[in-house]
Amino acid sequence: MLLTSNNILEINMSGKGTKFFESLLGPKLLEGDKEVDIKSVVDGKDYVAIYHSAHWCPPCRRFTPAFIKAYEEIQKKGGKSLATVFVTCDKSEGQFKEYFKDMPWHAVPFSAGEYKGFGGKSAKHLKVNGIPSLSIFDGEGKLIESQGVGVVSENGADFLKMLDPEEKKKAESAAMESLFAAMDLNGDGYIEKSEIEKCFGLIGAPPHITQQEVQTLLTRDTDGDGKLNKKEFCVATYSVAGRSPKWLAEAVGERLKEAKKKEEAKKEFASLKGMDFFKALLGDKLLGKPDKELSTETALDGKVTTVSVLPHLHVLYVHICHVSFGGPS
């Protein structure tokens, strides 16, 4: 064991291939409910994935089914081989067994205390401080991808392609072009500061993050004109808070569509008058008392005194001055 200058305990790993993975995961792994030698699991594999996760973790329970689907598709397709080892961060053996029983890969036994949890050797070596965490190595033990959760989430069963440097470069280049198209809001072939700010606002970034990313992106402005052309913007890949350019492009695109729909609905709504206004606002049917369904036109015609919309409560309050709605007569 080594103590770093930051007083962080690290494990001194040595060896390659099976020896390396044994130093991280232990000599025995679970295959269903039986123990097998780790050599039979990792030896000769093109890739070895170490998956830190837990039954009690909601993001883990959302990601695990997607990872299982991708893993099973890879096994059916053949090609590059992948071994996956689950390292539990569960607090009890019961939770571990309940979670692991649906997984199609191997696991570090719950009884192997020095190899499981946030304090286990693999978690310390990889500096795992949040889950789910998926780290992917080549067969010799070289770490290829530390952000495997994002890669699998975005690419499904094709995530193995993203481990190939050339394929990854092509995908990142295409994603950056998509992101440029999404952020070029006025379609003039340039991305300006105001467009960056609006795009980050659309995806809910806090103001300080938005300004930080404005400065980061504008460092690509090599000609000094205060805006980014496509060549400048796409000169290298880009991510923020672990989000890839592909994710950012899709998120900005979706938010722009939503904003457009809201604006169109607002305009359509503003043009309505009289009973058409209330039907659009409340629907065609209203529930009176006692539990009697009435048409909006019958219920409200000549009877509405005030209508107030309280968006912060997501409540529509309609004050009716007639007994048909149980209000004052």
Side-chain angles (χ1 to χ4, degrees):
M1 293 187 179
L2 299 176
L3 197 63
T4 69
S5 58
N6 294 321
N7 293 326
I8 298 174
L9 194 63
E10 293 186 341
I11 312 299
N12 185 16
M13 299 297 167
S14 60
K16 292 183 179 182
T18 299
K19 287 186 177 180
F20 171 79
F21 293 114
E22 184 175 336
S23 68
L24 286 180
L25 304 168
K28 297 287 185 178
L29 296 176
L30 284 179
E31 184 176 280
D33 57 1
K34 67 176 183 179
E35 286 193 353
V36 296
D37 290 334
I38 191 171
K39 180 179 175 64
S40 68
V41 177
V42 302
D43 194 37
K45 292 297 189 293
D46 294 305
Y47 301 109
V48 177
I50 298 179
Y51 181 41
H52 291 84
S53 185
H55 178 272
W56 52 260
C57 164
C60 299
R61 293 201 304 272
R62 286 194 296 271
F63 173 71
T64 297
F67 186 28
I68 289 174
K69 182 180 178 182
Y71 177 87
E72 290 179 337
E73 286 183 24
I74 288 170
Q75 303 308 312
K76 288 179 183 178
K77 286 180 181 178
K80 295 285 187 179
S81 57
L82 170 69
T84 298
V85 180
F86 166 49
V87 179
T88 185
C89 295
D90 278 310
K91 300 171 184 177
S92 73
E93 188 169 11
Q95 286 182 326
F96 162 70
K97 287 181 177 179
E98 177 64 23
Y99 195 32
F100 177 55
K101 69 181 177 62
D102 296 321
M103 296 181 183
W105 43 67
H106 296 80
V108 169
F110 190 82
S111 59
E114 64 181 311
Y115 297 106
K116 68 180 177 69
F118 291 106
K121 291 186 176 182
S122 61
K124 287 182 178 180
H125 178 72
L126 293 165
K127 297 182 174 61
V128 174
N129 53 23
I131 52 174
S133 172
L134 181 64
S135 302
I136 305 172
F137 299 80
D138 69 12
E140 292 299 303
K142 178 183 177 183
L143 181 62
I144 298 174
E145 180 58 69
S146 62
Q147 302 296 321
V149 171
V151 176
V152 173
S153 297
E154 291 185 12
N155 299 282
D158 289 332
F159 80 88
L160 285 187
K161 290 182 180 179
M162 297 301 102
L163 305 181
D164 179 274
E166 288 302 314
E167 289 290 338
K168 186 175 182 180
K169 187 177 179 179
K170 289 177 185 177
E172 288 177 343
S173 178
M176 286 302 295
E177 290 185 8
S178 296
L179 182 58
F180 178 84
M183 295 182 71
D184 180 15
L185 300 179
N186 61 12
D188 66 352
Y190 293 92
I191 295 177
E192 301 183 17
K193 178 183 177 183
S194 60
E195 291 174 305
I196 299 173
E197 291 173 336
K198 183 172 181 178
C199 288
F200 275 92
L202 283 169
I203 62 175
H208 72 283
I209 295 294
T210 296
Q211 292 308 311
Q212 174 182 303
E213 297 310 311
V214 166
Q215 293 177 17
T216 297
L217 285 170
L218 287 179
T219 59
R220 302 182 179 206
D221 176 23
T222 54
D223 59 13
D225 61 357
K227 54 189 179 182
L228 300 171
N229 58 42
K230 188 174 181 179
K231 184 178 179 180
E232 290 172 328
F233 185 84
C234 298
V235 68
T237 191
Y238 168 76
S239 66
V240 57
R243 297 297 191 177
S244 72
K246 180 182 178 182
W247 183 92
L248 291 167
E250 291 174 353
V252 170
E254 285 300 314
R255 299 302 183 277
L256 286 171
K257 287 179 184 177
E258 290 172 7
K260 185 178 180 180
K261 285 182 180 179
K262 286 180 181 178
E263 189 60 31
E264 290 173 350
K266 185 178 178 182
K267 288 179 180 178
E268 182 181 352
F269 195 73
S271 68
L272 299 175
K273 294 181 180 181
M275 192 54 62
D276 289 336
F277 170 82
F278 291 111
K279 285 182 178 180
L281 192 68
L282 304 171
D284 292 329
K285 298 288 185 180
L286 295 176
L287 189 64
K289 289 186 177 181
D291 296 333
K292 182 180 179 181
E293 192 177 83
L294 303 169
S295 72
T296 302
E297 189 167 357
T298 299
L300 301 186
D301 190 26
K303 302 171 185 177
V304 179
T305 57
T306 60
V307 176
S308 302
V309 180
L310 308 177
H312 61 292
L313 296 177
H314 300 286
V315 170
L316 177 68
Y317 172 74
V318 182
H319 181 85
I320 307 296
C321 290
H322 267 268
V323 292
S324 60
F325 265 81
S329 58

